[in-house]
Amino acid sequence: MPRLQSGVWKHFTPAIIDGRETVMCNYCSKTYTKNATKMQMHLDKCKEYSQQQSPGPDGSSSASIPVPSFSFLPSSSPGGQFLIDSVDQRSQAYADESLARAVYATSSPLTLTDNIYWKRFFSVLRPAYCPPTREALSSHLLDCEYDRVQSQVHEAVGKADSVTIMCSGWSNIKETGTIIYVVATPVPLFYKCTKTKEQTHVSTFIAEELKDIINEVGPQKVFAVVTDDAPEMMAAWAQVEEAFPHISAIGCTACSVQQLFDDVVAQPSMKALCRRAEQVVRYVRERKRLAGTFRCWQTTRNHPANGTTLVLPHSSDWTGVCNMFSSLLEGQTALQDMAVSPTLDIEASFRATVQDATFWKGLSSSQNLLYLIGNYVNYMKREDTALSGVVDMFSQLRYHIGALLSGSVLHSTEQKAVMAMLDRCQEFCVKPIHAAAYMLDPKHVGQQTLSGEQINSAYYVISNLSHHLNLDEGKVLGSFARFSAKQGLWKGGGIWSSCQHVSASTWWKGLCSSEPLSAVASAILQIPPTTGACEGLQSRFRNTQVHGSLSADRVQKLLAVQANLNLLEPSDCEFAPLESEEDKKVSFQSETQ
């Protein structure tokens, strides 16, 4: 039996004859039943097909496929029947590259080109074009695109004047087995990931990985390393700072504030409130009549909870608990009416809970407290959040938590514990580099938030970096004095109002580049305060592993291409023609037979 070629279907056109599905050969017009083996046997004997496959006069082996002239395809003449379409090897390779790039950039499944509907689309678009297989998309095409994208990454790093290394993953290493490394220029570009095994000296392993990346990127332009809050990561900080004294190792602020949220929810009084709230939600949701009554009464009795759905805290982030509290508070009136209804069979425990004023007061106060902390988690995850905003954020967080704790369900000992947790969170997040960023951000000039110790530590950072950048320390500090006193360049009001419309680093580079302090300030103010980019990549990594059968090396390459393609600006060379002007006239043609 002849060997079945994978592209046999493109040589036939589907047709319906007497209600039966048939196919017609595109070369000799003979019809056959829809059977791949018979179709292949026909191609092996078809003389017209054999003639089309013979090399052209230039020695090329382009594929030329005559296809019937449909209303949406051009024909040779009003009476013409066929169109000759050809795609030479260079055009095929260029089309494959472009298609592969689109698949990677949109995180489309690598099996896309195996789908019959996509095959038909490509056939309509270009009959002679044969799209790459899944194997090609996951092998040599991926290798080529990875090399090209990594070259762009290294080029972007080379042009950057301030680089931050972000690292995350050890805290959930059992789940993913992978540590993600990102290089921020300040655009967060995926750099590499390491597949870890059980390590005896974990902190040393991580520190060595970080030091290797710093050396590869160029130590002279790396000013900070940002990691998650895993103890192993924190233990690696000292080793990095010892090897590179000008680099500051700091913790992810979003991770730490999220941990603060988790610690507050874990307090006994808060846990007890969450259990009671969940019992109320489950009691209604698991009883069809009660659930229906709750929905009905919201509309018929003009309750303020019109459209509210009672939800359970399924979300893994901070919003789960808050959404449950919110749904209960919005449905409070309906729930209390149900508890006293003579027509509903309500258990005494449910009735006691929804009629307990202390329960509802606790929900309200706790919701305010948790929403406050949770919103700061979201704030720190924003792409536009600056390192200088961390100091101000903790100042506001401390003030508002102190005000809300007194009315919460937490007992006095638990309230003291929460404030102690806040102290540890701030100690983890706020380092001298944060104080320096705060003092150098024009939006914060004149605000008295820092302690004397923090101000002195900021001076040390500025002096240290001025030496690293081969700047005159005296001139740099003199420039800093004029900036703080709003003298010299900073005397007018216009320059200060402009800082509200651009980032702080751009403000220093664009308007204050003549000042000795500019290089130090712009470098510090480009440092991101979180490892948010790493967290997003961790999620992508898990999804790629779950839904695919690629090796670890292939997954890393695919992840790198997917992440970086959407961050790097497309260059003009990506769209340059592969052929000369003379080749271009004949490489993508449609001729009449």
Side-chain angles (χ1 to χ4, degrees):
M1 181 180 293
R3 182 175 61 86
L4 180 62
Q5 297 181 6
S6 61
V8 66
W9 298 97
K10 71 180 181 180
H11 302 291
F12 294 82
T13 300
I16 303 293
I17 299 178
D18 296 332
R20 293 185 300 116
E21 287 191 25
T22 61
V23 291
M24 181 180 69
C25 176
N26 291 335
Y27 306 95
C28 66
S29 300
K30 288 186 179 180
T31 58
Y32 289 88
T33 57
K34 192 175 179 182
N35 183 287
T37 302
K38 290 182 179 180
M39 293 157 63
Q40 182 64 62
M41 292 174 66
H42 168 77
L43 285 180
D44 292 340
K45 298 176 182 178
C46 182
K47 293 181 180 180
E48 286 80 357
Y49 169 73
S50 300
Q51 292 174 358
Q52 293 290 346
Q53 301 307 304
S54 58
D58 61 349
S60 66
S61 56
S62 62
S64 299
I65 300 177
V67 295
S69 295
F70 295 104
S71 60
F72 51 81
L73 292 176
S75 60
S76 58
S77 65
Q81 290 184 335
F82 291 104
L83 165 81
I84 299 293
D85 186 26
S86 66
V87 177
D88 63 29
Q89 289 182 341
R90 298 180 73 184
S91 297
Q92 172 81 29
Y94 187 49
D96 286 351
E97 177 188 338
S98 299
L99 175 60
R101 187 169 301 140
V103 168
Y104 305 144
T106 55
S107 300
S108 300
L110 301 184
T111 56
L112 180 145
T113 55
D114 293 336
N115 184 280
I116 183 62
Y117 296 105
W118 278 104
K119 287 182 177 180
R120 289 178 182 175
F121 168 72
F122 290 125
S123 178
V124 170
L125 195 65
R126 195 65 198 268
Y129 173 62
C130 183
T133 63
R134 179 190 185 282
E135 289 71 22
L137 288 171
S138 62
S139 56
H140 68 276
L141 288 174
L142 179 58
D143 290 336
C144 292
E145 189 65 8
Y146 174 77
D147 292 340
R148 188 189 71 83
V149 171
Q150 285 302 99
S151 176
Q152 287 189 322
V153 169
H154 291 302
E155 182 180 353
V157 172
K159 292 179 180 178
D161 56 5
S162 176
V163 173
T164 302
I165 311 299
M166 293 189 283
C167 171
S168 177
W170 187 261
S171 57
N172 58 356
I173 200 68
K174 292 180 181 179
E175 180 183 352
T176 63
T178 305
I179 298 180
I180 301 286
Y181 297 91
V182 167
V183 173
T185 63
V187 177
L189 300 171
F190 174 88
Y191 194 78
K192 67 180 284 190
C193 61
T194 56
K195 187 77 175 177
T196 61
K197 299 178 181 178
E198 291 186 7
Q199 301 288 336
T200 305
H201 302 289
V202 175
S203 60
T204 301
F205 167 76
I206 296 173
E208 291 302 319
E209 288 286 323
L210 288 170
K211 287 189 284 187
D212 287 344
I213 295 175
I214 291 170
N215 284 320
E216 291 170 11
V217 169
Q220 72 282 356
K221 62 174 59 182
V222 178
F223 294 94
V225 167
V226 187
T227 77
D228 61 30
D229 56 353
E232 294 83 0
M233 292 287 188
M234 297 167 62
W237 293 357
Q239 300 177 55
V240 172
E241 290 179 329
E242 182 180 0
F244 305 99
H246 70 284
I247 293 179
S248 297
I250 61 177
C252 171
T253 306
C255 293
S256 187
V257 179
Q258 175 66 58
Q259 185 59 54
L260 174 65
F261 179 94
D262 295 339
D263 290 340
V264 172
V265 173
Q267 295 302 303
S269 298
M270 190 69 75
K271 286 178 69 175
L273 178 66
C274 289
R275 276 197 305 270
R276 292 185 73 189
E278 190 168 340
Q279 286 170 356
V280 171
V281 173
R282 289 189 183 278
Y283 186 82
V284 175
R285 284 168 57 106
E286 293 173 359
R287 288 160 178 79
K288 227 178 243 190
R289 187 183 178 193
L290 293 184
T293 301
F294 180 76
R295 287 193 300 269
C296 179
W297 284 9
Q298 292 178 65
T299 56
T300 59
R301 299 197 175 193
N302 296 320
H303 285 131
N306 191 6
T308 297
T309 301
L310 298 179
V311 297
L312 291 169
H314 291 309
S315 177
S316 59
D317 63 11
W318 67 270
T319 59
V321 174
C322 289
N323 288 340
M324 179 177 67
F325 285 5
S326 179
S327 69
L328 283 169
L329 288 167
E330 290 176 4
Q332 177 181 354
T333 304
L335 290 169
Q336 289 179 329
D337 286 350
M338 288 168 59
V340 298
S341 173
T343 61
L344 295 176
D345 184 17
I346 301 293
E347 289 183 5
S349 59
F350 174 83
R351 184 180 297 108
T353 298
V354 298
Q355 290 181 323
D356 184 1
T358 305
F359 170 73
W360 295 106
K361 181 181 178 182
L363 280 183
S364 179
S365 61
S366 298
Q367 181 197 39
N368 292 335
L369 175 62
L370 296 180
Y371 260 123
L372 169 72
I373 302 173
N375 284 330
Y376 276 112
V377 174
N378 283 356
Y379 169 73
M380 294 312 304
K381 286 183 177 180
R382 283 169 39 180
E383 292 183 1
D384 61 342
T385 302
L387 189 71
S388 57
V390 175
V391 173
D392 198 40
M393 185 271 290
F394 272 103
S395 177
Q396 296 180 34
L397 188 60
R398 181 173 296 278
Y399 172 79
H400 290 299
I401 286 182
L404 291 173
L405 278 178
S406 59
S408 70
V409 297
L410 302 180
H411 300 310
S412 58
T413 54
E414 294 172 331
Q415 293 178 20
K416 291 179 181 177
V418 169
M419 295 308 294
M421 294 169 193
L422 179 59
D423 290 338
R424 289 194 295 272
C425 180
Q426 184 168 355
E427 183 181 355
F428 170 79
C429 293
V430 180
K431 302 296 180 184
I433 192 76
H434 294 84
Y438 183 84
M439 294 178 68
L440 291 169
D441 191 328
K443 297 182 181 69
H444 299 303
V445 168
Q447 299 178 14
Q448 300 297 324
T449 300
L450 299 177
S451 65
E453 183 181 354
Q454 287 177 318
I455 293 174
N456 290 335
S457 68
Y459 288 149
Y460 174 79
V461 170
I462 294 172
S463 299
N464 187 28
L465 290 186
S466 65
H467 287 299
H468 172 71
L469 295 171
N470 296 318
L471 300 172
D472 187 310
E473 180 185 354
K475 291 183 178 179
V476 170
L477 291 178
S479 179
F480 181 59
R482 291 192 297 275
F483 165 75
S484 301
K486 296 185 178 182
Q487 296 178 358
L489 174 66
W490 297 284
K491 189 174 183 179
I495 195 169
W496 294 104
S497 61
S498 65
C499 73
Q500 303 297 328
H501 305 285
V502 294
S503 67
S505 60
T506 300
W507 187 82
W508 276 100
K509 285 182 181 180
L511 296 178
C512 311
S513 57
S514 61
E515 287 289 332
L517 182 60
S518 175
V520 174
S522 62
I524 292 175
L525 292 168
Q526 289 182 65
I527 298 171
T530 73
T531 60
C534 295
E535 307 306 324
L537 288 168
Q538 285 284 357
S539 177
R540 280 194 182 192
F541 198 95
R542 285 191 294 269
N543 293 336
T544 305
Q545 285 183 316
V546 169
H547 298 294
S549 56
L550 300 177
S551 65
D553 178 62
R554 293 285 156 195
V555 169
Q556 174 174 338
K557 288 185 176 181
L558 182 60
L559 184 64
V561 171
Q562 287 177 345
N564 293 334
L565 268 177
N566 294 315
L567 293 172
L568 296 165
E569 288 292 330
S571 61
D572 293 336
C573 63
E574 291 181 33
F575 308 102
L578 299 180
E579 303 86 11
S580 65
E581 285 300 317
E582 196 63 27
D583 292 335
K584 192 164 60 173
K585 293 178 182 178
V586 296
S587 64
F588 228 78
Q589 58 180 337
S590 294
E591 300 176 354
T592 57
Q593 186 176 16

